[in-house]
Amino acid sequence: LPLSAVLDSPLFFLKSFVHLILGSGLVFGIGALAGWISANLPPGRAFSQILVYTAPSWANLIVGAVGAALTAYLMVRSPRQKPLVANIAAAYGLVLPLSASGFSLTARIPTGMESGLEQFLIHLSLAALIALILYFSLGLKPAKIFGYAMTLALIGVSITAMFVFAGLLPAEETPVAQVETSPSPILPETPVASPAP
């Protein structure tokens, strides 16, 4: 999306947006399918570890941001070569929260779907903003007014999304499964013999 904005190509922007929606739907759907399968497994299994990917994490945010910056830089430096390794880091920040969100929906994990979607949108907004800043700093700027309008719109949407969704995130840590302890047995009182007079 940022590349299509700086290249002044509305058709490429629309194509990129449709690919983003289709790809996101596919990842969410696969996560939902996995959650549905897990919900139909025999009881006794806990999938609370999935909440790690839906909770806010500086490490995940940094990995996604570095991946977005490297992807944008490599696309400008050598446009004919696909930046596959950098794409893995960028996808890490996007795919895991989105698939965990789908998993949480069908596995009936409370608040997992909403926080996973929030994390996905925050990471996507940050990646778009970083790519735009990098493109401008490398001298890749739109030639027409339409490109500047798309760029400003993308920057505005990215910053707004980051502030809105970051403000909605809970300030609590990822819930940890509590260990159930069996109550200790209560022994009946034994009668105490009184001393003989």
Side-chain angles (χ1 to χ4, degrees), residues 56-120:
S57 166
W58 281 107
N60 292 346
L61 197 63
I62 290 170
V63 168
V66 168
L70 283 174
T71 301
Y73 174 74
L74 293 173
M75 286 178 72
V76 172
R77 196 189 85 199
S78 52
R80 297 197 194 286
Q81 187 178 8
K82 294 183 180 180
L84 299 176
V85 175
N87 275 343
I88 293 171
Y92 177 82
L94 298 172
V95 171
L96 289 178
L98 190 58
S99 60
S101 177
F103 185 95
S104 299
L105 173 69
T106 54
R108 296 176 198 92
I109 298 175
T111 70
M113 187 191 84
E114 296 87 7
S115 58
L117 286 176
E118 288 169 3
Q119 288 306 303
F120 168 74

Side-chain angles (χ1 to χ4, degrees), residues 36-193:
W36 178 78
I37 291 170
S38 72
N40 291 311
L41 289 176
R45 297 172 195 241
F47 295 97
S48 60
Q49 187 65 23
I50 200 77
L51 294 176
V52 169
Y53 301 110
T54 62
S57 166
W58 281 107
N60 292 346
L61 197 63
I62 290 170
V63 168
V66 168
L70 283 174
T71 301
Y73 174 74
L74 293 173
M75 286 178 72
V76 172
R77 196 189 85 199
S78 52
R80 297 197 194 286
Q81 187 178 8
K82 294 183 180 180
L84 299 176
V85 175
N87 275 343
I88 293 171
Y92 177 82
L94 298 172
V95 171
L96 289 178
L98 190 58
S99 60
S101 177
F103 185 95
S104 299
L105 173 69
T106 54
R108 296 176 198 92
I109 298 175
T111 70
M113 187 191 84
E114 296 87 7
S115 58
L117 286 176
E118 288 169 3
Q119 288 306 303
F120 168 74
L121 291 173
I122 288 171
H123 288 220
L124 181 65
S125 300
L126 182 65
L129 195 59
I130 287 173
L132 280 171
I133 290 169
L134 197 63
Y135 288 148
F136 271 79
S137 67
L138 292 173
L140 193 61
K141 295 178 180 146
K144 299 177 189 165
I145 191 74
F146 184 76
Y148 279 106
M150 281 196 320
T151 302
L152 287 175
L154 196 55
I155 289 172
V157 166
S158 297
I159 290 174
T160 303
M162 284 192 312
F163 280 116
V164 166
F165 291 116
L168 293 177
L169 295 176
E172 60 192 42
E173 291 293 320
T174 304
V176 178
Q178 296 179 353
V179 179
E180 289 186 25
T181 57
S182 59
S184 56
I186 300 174
L187 299 175
E189 292 185 24
T190 55
V192 178

